[in-house]
Every structure is written in C-alpha cells, then in structure tokens.
Amino acid sequence: MSADLQTVARDARPIFEKLEPTLLADHRHAFISIEPVSEDYFIGDTLSDAIKKARQKYPDRLVHTFRLGHTAAVHFGMQIQ
C-alpha cells in the first residue's frame, strides 16, 4: 500500500468511528466512503456506489471505504473441503 493510501486510511478511521454509531440504525451493511480532508462521507448499497458518489464530488482525491457494522469492507476467503 502506498504512503498516500496509508495516510488516507489512517485519517479516515477516526471519522468512521465517530460516524458509525449514528449511522448503523439506518444503514447497517451499507458501504461508506470517507474523504478525510473534508470529512465528507458517501453511503452506498454497494462498494461501487459509495466510491462513485465520492468520486463525483472529489474526482481527484483519495477516499477510504468501510462497511457499516463490519470489521472489513470486503472479505475474501475460500472453503477447503
């Protein structure tokens, strides 16, 4: 992960932690993209929706995306049989 991405992720985390308790009731399982400089956030039903909304307002800025009520935005795994 580049230094820029690490900085955005680091700066977005406290904003997410502040917002999550109030957003969970109406948006559990939704995705939230946070632009940490402005502290603006964008909620979408999918990862792509949230990022698209953020890019429309801030096309040249990096955002970090979380999933409300989850420890990670996405989970990749496999089942071994």
Side-chain angles (χ1 to χ4, degrees), residues 4-78:
D4 289 343
L5 293 176
Q6 289 176 352
T7 299
V8 169
R10 182 198 67 220
D11 293 348
R13 166 112 0 232
I15 299 166
F16 172 72
E17 290 172 352
K18 181 175 65 174
L19 292 169
E20 187 179 33
T22 58
L23 295 174
L24 271 174
D26 293 329
H27 301 286
R28 183 173 294 278
H29 309 300
F31 293 86
I32 177 172
S33 289
I34 298 175
E35 193 290 306
V37 174
S38 67
E39 298 190 10
D40 283 348
Y41 63 93
F42 306 88
I43 297 173
D45 291 331
T46 67
L47 179 67
S48 296
D49 288 340
I51 293 170
K52 181 179 178 181
K53 289 176 183 178
R55 294 262 185 255
Q56 286 173 343
K57 185 163 183 182
Y58 298 107
D60 298 325
R61 295 187 189 175
L62 295 173
V63 298
H64 192 74
T65 303
F66 302 88
R67 191 162 188 198
L68 292 161
H70 295 263
T71 57
V74 294
H75 175 78
F76 296 98
M78 59 185 270

